[in-house]
Amino acid sequence: MRVALLPEVTAFLKRQHGHFIDGQPREGTGAERIEVINPSDDQPIATVATATSSDIEAAVASSLSAFNSSWRHTLPAQRAEVLYRLADLLEQHREALAQLETLQSGKLISLARNFEITTAAAFLRHYAGAATRITGETITPSIPSFGEERYTAFTRREPLGVVVGIVPWNFSIMIAVWKFASALATGCTAIIKSSEFTPLTMLRIAEIALDAGVPAGVLNVINGKGEAGSALISHQDVAKVSFTGSVPTGIAVGTQALQSRLTRFTLELGGKNAAGFLPDCPIEKIIDGIFESGFINQGQICAAAERFYVPQPLLDDVLTGIKQRLEQMQPGDPLDEQADYGPVANRAHLEKLNAAFAKARQEGDQVITGGHVLDRPGCYVAPTIIRAHSPNASLLHEETFGPVGTFIGYDTEQQLVEAMNAGPYGLSASLWTNNLSKALQLIPQINAGTLWVNMHTLLDPAVPFGGIKSSGMGREFGDEFINDYTELKSVLVRY
Ligand code: NAD
């Protein structure tokens, strides 16, 4: 049954949305607006303003003022307390936020409630704890003493300043939390530029953050397309940009940040993640693994696997098994709790997937199941399994970011390693085997920022996350993120 929208959600959708600046919703100073479309039926649910240069100016001025006048001076434990309170409040607003997220992104309501909100709260609590773990080191210099003087030295981690977080549409809450919680924990202030496809949730979260005690200006939200992100990056008072999105946009963001004034940047980008199954894996385990690796949230997870390497003798049985599993899925309205498969997030994305199917057929790949748009209203794409015609097949190298698994068999372990490492990306990968020694031998040989063994896709706030090769620069989570949101100051003292 379709979940009934909460009255507060209906009321929120009716509002005239713009930005959130200096503790207040702002309608925005421009006339241009973006329609927010529900991808399950292609119907508009709200509109949101596009930032003008004066909106950008107001947001950056507010963030800079909040940074200098208060937030950078707060005690770490105070910052932690605010983030803990925000985590509690997110959970209290779980249903309303989940409904908004499902309406704007097509994510299943169960995933929005039980994964996105739960995980966002867990990340907030992790970053809250990290606020009190920001440390430097003491060093004894070897400067010679000609009299009685002595020397000591220590390092301090100091907040960068105003951080711009630019986020994609697949997890509009969780990924924004990665950015602004990192900033707030380290004493920076944050401006989030939401995706133009999913701008609503962050506007609501900024209001909730104010209730949690985040002071005005410490967390601002700007809406608009790429131009708004670009204008923020080039602003002279922005100290850092933390970007999550596609590789081409990431390269443009990094280039612009460097050219602006060596503005610091972190890039969490896409990839073409591989899952490799070793010959000892039972077929059932392989099929469960493929499902977990590639098809949650219609495959729209940056770390999800899109390339699957299976021992040649097992490939036919694996393809038959995963085809059966995927064909049992019930597509439906993502607000319907019975649906176990929703739309992709927007029509532009659906068209991109359709083009990838056409290219695969043209190249001679074999479509085992799916490979088409579903015949119903909304942005539904059939879960798709493709057998690549050769290791050079485009679908083994180009990110689809959708419910599309591409398969090829392998004969030797060396072939598996070479195939998994092929291509320019290295966000994540997984190895599946019950042979622990074999897994430990292979781990150092696989090039990826995150490597799972007998699991895929699940992230934990305590475990650093980021891409190698063309999948990114810098790390989020753990305590690693602290280095990317602070500058290291060295202090030498003569006494
Ligand atoms: P995208 O690169 O098109 O857009 C991401 C964000 O950048 C949006 O907010 C967009 O408005 C903004 N943007 C676009 N052009 C810009 C510019 N020139 N300057 C500044 N900002 C600009 O990505 P998307 O389609 O929203 O998201 C899908 C992509 O994100 C996939 O490639 C996926 O792999 C990647 N992703 C990566 C991670 C990760 O953690 N590594 C997580 C989620 C998604």
Side-chain angles (χ1 to χ4, degrees):
M1 221 179 53
R2 192 177 195 266
V3 170
L5 292 185
L6 294 175
E8 68 178 277
V9 171
T10 316
F12 187 79
L13 291 175
K14 287 192 181 131
R15 282 164 55 177
Q16 181 79 347
H17 294 292
H19 320 287
F20 189 90
I21 301 173
D22 216 31
Q24 283 176 20
R26 302 278 180 96
E27 285 190 7
T29 54
E32 198 185 325
R33 301 191 68 77
I34 298 169
E35 267 196 334
V36 186
I37 308 284
N38 178 345
S40 74
D41 58 9
D42 288 320
Q43 295 305 307
I45 52 170
T47 67
V48 70
T50 300
T52 60
S53 51
S54 78
D55 299 324
I56 302 265
E57 206 48 55
V60 177
S62 153
S63 298
L64 187 65
S65 160
F67 174 70
N68 281 326
S69 66
S70 65
W71 194 248
R72 68 185 303 178
H73 306 299
T74 48
L75 296 177
Q78 290 172 320
R79 302 200 293 268
E81 212 173 293
V82 166
L83 292 174
Y84 281 126
R85 266 204 303 272
L86 180 53
D88 292 345
L89 284 187
L90 280 200
E91 288 173 337
Q92 282 173 32
H93 290 275
R94 179 191 301 275
E95 183 60 21
L97 288 169
Q99 289 187 4
L100 276 179
E101 174 60 13
T102 292
L103 284 168
Q104 69 179 1
S105 74
K107 183 173 294 149
L108 294 178
I109 186 70
S110 55
L111 197 64
R113 283 176 188 149
N114 305 325
F115 177 77
E116 179 138 31
I117 307 294
T118 301
T119 310
F123 272 97
L124 277 167
R125 294 191 177 106
H126 172 80
Y127 285 111
T132 56
R133 292 197 301 270
I134 301 170
T135 58
E137 57 180 349
T138 55
I139 302 157
T140 304
S142 300
I143 301 170
S145 171
F146 297 105
E148 290 298 301
E149 83 278 15
R150 291 187 185 185
Y151 297 88
T152 189
F154 60 94
T155 57
R156 290 169 49 79
R157 287 255 159 221
E158 298 184 348
L160 285 172
V162 177
V163 173
V164 167
I166 300 179
V167 296
W169 43 255
N170 61 329
F171 286 94
S172 75
I173 301 171
M174 182 181 74
I175 296 178
V177 162
W178 297 351
K179 311 292 183 204
F180 78 74
S182 303
L184 270 53
T186 47
C188 302
T189 52
I191 303 173
I192 297 297
K193 208 297 277 172
S194 298
S195 165
E196 55 272 36
F197 294 105
T198 53
L200 299 175
T201 38
M202 218 21 240
L203 288 171
R204 184 67 192 112
I205 287 172
E207 294 175 349
I208 296 171
L210 204 63
D211 294 341
V214 174
V218 170
L219 175 59
N220 290 325
V221 179
I222 279 289
N223 279 309
K225 298 188 179 170
E227 296 78 26
S230 174
L232 284 164
I233 300 165
S234 57
H235 197 291
Q236 292 300 295
D237 291 328
V238 166
K240 175 189 167 77
V241 54
S242 178
F243 173 83
T244 294
S246 62
V247 173
T249 312
I251 291 170
V253 163
T255 306
Q256 198 188 350
L258 282 171
Q259 285 169 349
S260 176
R261 47 156 209 158
L262 283 184
T263 298
R264 305 296 188 255
F265 61 89
T266 310
L267 304 175
E268 292 288 349
L269 308 181
K272 188 76 193 178
N273 309 311
F277 297 87
L278 297 193
D280 68 282
C281 272
I283 295 275
E284 262 316 301
K285 177 173 169 164
I286 299 181
I287 290 164
D288 287 346
I290 293 164
F291 193 77
E292 173 186 331
S293 311
F295 291 91
I296 298 170
N297 199 30
Q298 291 74 256
Q300 301 164 121
I301 301 183
C302 57
E306 294 197 5
R307 301 183 278 148
F308 296 90
Y309 298 95
V310 176
Q312 201 71 57
L314 302 182
L315 187 56
D316 285 339
D317 287 347
V318 167
L319 291 175
T320 306
I322 188 70
K323 172 179 178 339
Q324 279 168 4
R325 171 74 70 89
L326 293 178
E327 287 176 356
Q328 281 162 15
M329 292 203 330
Q330 288 302 320
D333 183 335
L335 275 175
D336 180 344
E337 287 167 330
Q338 305 309 316
D340 54 19
Y341 186 77
V344 297
N346 55 68
R347 193 143 285 277
H349 192 38
L350 174 140
E351 300 301 350
K352 195 182 127 198
L353 291 166
N354 231 351
F357 297 147
K359 190 168 177 184
R361 287 193 172 93
Q362 207 177 21
E363 287 184 9
D365 292 343
Q366 184 189 358
V367 177
I368 305 292
T369 185
H372 58 86
V373 167
L374 292 183
D375 185 17
R376 55 177 292 156
C379 304
Y380 288 80
V381 172
T384 297
I385 293 295
I386 288 185
R387 185 180 197 147
H389 71 282
S390 93
N392 298 325
S394 296
L395 267 190
L396 285 173
H397 299 277
E398 294 170 9
E399 184 186 40
T400 66
F401 207 52
V404 185
T406 305
F407 287 71
I408 195 160
Y410 73 89
D411 293 312
T412 66
E413 209 172 280
Q414 193 187 345
Q415 264 180 13
L416 172 67
V417 171
E418 283 173 9
M420 287 181 74
N421 287 340
Y425 305 117
L427 183 61
S428 73
S430 61
L431 284 170
W432 299 74
T433 176
N434 289 324
N435 184 339
L436 184 60
S437 306
K438 183 59 69 190
L440 288 168
Q441 285 162 18
L442 289 174
I443 286 168
Q445 299 180 50
I446 303 294
N447 300 332
T450 295
L451 177 59
W452 288 283
V453 178
N454 295 327
M455 61 183 289
H456 199 118
T457 311
L458 291 176
L459 302 176
D460 185 276
V463 183
F465 177 67
I468 63 167
K469 302 200 283 182
S470 299
S471 289
M473 284 183 80
R475 290 290 179 274
E476 301 195 277
F477 318 170
D479 281 348
E480 286 299 313
F481 81 93
I482 293 170
N483 295 347
D484 283 343
Y485 285 76
T486 55
E487 287 289 10
L488 190 66
K489 180 180 281 175
S490 299
V491 182
L492 289 105
V493 180
R494 179 185 286 150
Y495 65 99

